[in-house]
Amino acid sequence: MIIIGKNSRSALLVNKLREEEEYGIKTIGYVDEPYESGDNINFPSSVKYLGKLSSLKSILNNNIIDEVFIALPVKSFYDKIEDIIVICSERGIVVRIVSDVFLLNHTKNSIDLLGNIPLINISLGPEDTFKLFIKRYIDISLSCLLLILMLPVFVVIFILIKIDSKGPVLFIQERISCNNRRFKLLKFRTMISNAEDIKSELIKMNEMSGPVFKIKNDPRITKVGKFLRRFSLDETPQLYNVLKGEMSLVGPRPPLQDEVEKYSWKQRRRLSVKPGITGLWQVSGRNTLPFEEWIELDLEYIDNWSLGMDLKIILQTIYIVLSQKGAM
């Protein structure tokens, strides 16, 4: 193959092909305008300068070339790239374009066809549709099974909450899910019924950094609520949110709208996946972690997600909850 354009992208490509010999691709040279060739770009000595873009036809006619890799900037060389594709197609030579389109950190790029329309996909979250299907299947199966098995426990909790304090059994709060979808998160009520009304009076006692509010000895928590929180039983109604598809068993913590409004652009990336009942933050310190580290763990989960990671987090969560580590 030959490369069109001498720049940092083509240099990266040449070095990658030299490192990965299993590709079986031999780079014989490059084509570029002399004034376009950067002096600071070094190709291996085996990659020779073959000539200008205007000489491409004769270069292809006089050399054994199976493929042409175009490393020119698409935006500024669109017309020339179109001409190169025509010249190569007339000779049955495969053309590959080294993309420079929106190369951002943490993005996953792929190409699909919608009919005969090529689409460049740029994604921030997990992309494997089959694995996401399996994740959803596991969410439905486990949440349904646990809701059935825990029904007697729910009845006991219902009675205890009613005896302990006045107010509804369930605490329902609007949270933000994947891509800013709003949903009603369910929890067993662990605080007095007017807890949200007096929250503003306790802001100065907040023990968490960032836009998250937590107090270790929150005076609003009831006796039964303290027990439920210790073993995370207050979170179990969220199995219904999982069953409905609003949450997943594993994922970032579902934030409040006022928290999201304070996010930086980087922190907003945690909204690219469904929130979870548990997550990497849960098994790495629960409520003892500062907000910034909490966010980093969520982003690490998104960037490295796998079904195996989900299974590991679920098993670790069981141990963490039973050992009561990091509970608040």
Side-chain angles (χ1 to χ4, degrees):
M1 69 94 159
I2 63 170
I3 294 177
I4 310 293
K6 185 181 182 183
N7 50 46
S8 57
R9 285 188 302 280
S10 57
L12 185 65
L13 175 65
V14 169
N15 290 329
K16 185 66 175 176
L17 291 174
R18 282 168 59 87
E19 293 171 5
E20 308 291 342
E21 295 182 357
E22 64 267 23
Y23 288 122
I25 298 176
K26 180 182 179 182
T27 308
I28 63 172
Y30 71 95
V31 177
D32 202 353
E33 303 299 329
Y35 57 85
E36 296 290 349
S37 302
D39 294 333
N40 59 334
I41 303 298
N42 294 316
F43 281 163
S45 58
S46 59
V47 181
K48 306 295 184 181
Y49 176 64
L50 302 176
K52 301 178 181 180
L53 289 173
S54 57
S55 304
L56 181 61
K57 288 184 179 180
S58 61
I59 292 171
L60 295 178
N61 291 338
N62 298 322
N63 291 275
I64 299 174
I65 297 170
D66 298 304
E67 298 184 359
V68 169
F69 281 61
I70 301 175
L72 298 171
V74 175
K75 185 176 180 180
S76 52
F77 285 85
Y78 185 87
D79 292 338
K80 287 187 178 181
I81 290 174
E82 194 172 37
D83 292 339
I84 293 169
I85 293 173
V86 171
I87 292 171
C88 292
S89 63
E90 289 174 347
R91 291 159 176 76
I93 296 174
V94 174
V95 176
R96 302 186 189 276
I97 298 177
V98 184
S99 175
D100 66 336
V101 181
F102 308 121
L103 297 179
L104 304 175
N105 289 335
H106 307 297
T107 58
K108 301 177 180 69
N109 303 330
S110 61
I111 296 177
D112 279 335
L113 285 176
L114 181 61
N116 62 348
I117 303 172
L119 305 174
I120 298 177
N121 306 317
I122 301 172
S123 172
L124 287 171
E127 279 192 304
D128 194 314
T129 306
F130 179 72
K131 289 182 180 178
L132 289 173
F133 171 79
I134 297 298
K135 179 180 174 72
R136 179 63 186 142
Y137 177 80
I138 293 172
D139 282 345
I140 294 172
S141 301
L142 283 183
S143 60
C144 189
L145 176 63
L146 289 172
L147 283 169
I148 294 172
L149 293 177
M150 295 193 69
L151 188 58
V153 179
F154 290 165
V155 173
V156 173
I157 293 174
F158 179 93
I159 295 172
L160 290 175
I161 291 175
K162 278 296 185 183
I163 294 174
D164 185 50
S165 62
K166 294 181 179 180
V169 172
L170 289 176
F171 175 71
I172 303 174
Q173 189 177 52
E174 186 174 84
R175 297 289 182 105
I176 306 300
S177 183
C178 181
N179 296 328
N180 288 315
R181 288 176 172 83
R182 296 170 184 263
F183 73 102
K184 301 294 184 181
L185 178 135
L186 305 179
K187 295 179 69 174
F188 282 123
R189 181 174 60 82
T190 61
M191 294 185 175
I192 55 178
S193 57
N194 65 333
E196 288 298 299
D197 297 333
I198 62 175
K199 179 180 176 181
S200 59
E201 301 173 14
L202 303 172
I203 290 293
K204 59 185 178 181
M205 299 172 60
N206 187 18
E207 299 175 12
M208 296 290 288
S209 60
V212 180
F213 179 77
K214 290 281 185 180
I215 303 175
K216 187 173 184 180
N217 295 309
D218 196 319
R220 301 172 297 168
I221 300 176
T222 63
K223 292 180 180 178
V224 171
K226 190 173 183 180
F227 172 80
L228 294 178
R229 287 185 170 214
R230 184 179 300 168
F231 293 99
S232 295
L233 290 171
D234 59 317
E235 309 283 354
T236 50
Q238 290 163 38
L239 291 168
Y240 181 66
N241 292 121
V242 174
L243 190 61
K244 288 179 65 180
E246 298 165 334
M247 294 179 64
S248 177
L249 291 173
V250 183
R253 185 188 73 89
L256 295 163
Q257 178 61 41
D258 61 347
E259 293 175 0
V260 172
E261 290 172 357
K262 298 173 185 176
Y263 283 176
S264 66
W265 66 268
K266 179 181 178 182
Q267 292 166 348
R268 281 181 174 272
R269 196 159 65 84
R270 70 195 297 270
L271 301 177
S272 63
V273 299
K274 285 183 183 179
I277 297 179
T278 186
L280 202 54
W281 54 271
Q282 174 82 312
V283 300
S284 302
R286 295 177 76 181
N287 294 311
T288 61
L289 292 175
F291 174 74
E292 292 74 17
E293 191 171 340
W294 195 342
I295 289 291
E296 289 301 321
L297 287 170
D298 283 341
L299 298 182
E300 180 183 338
Y301 171 79
I302 293 170
D303 293 336
N304 301 290
W305 173 78
S306 68
L307 292 173
M309 176 182 281
D310 275 6
L311 177 60
K312 183 178 179 180
I313 289 173
I314 290 172
L315 294 176
Q316 287 180 322
T317 300
I318 296 172
Y319 168 75
I320 292 290
V321 169
L322 294 177
S323 65
Q324 302 174 42
K325 291 184 177 181
M328 183 179 281

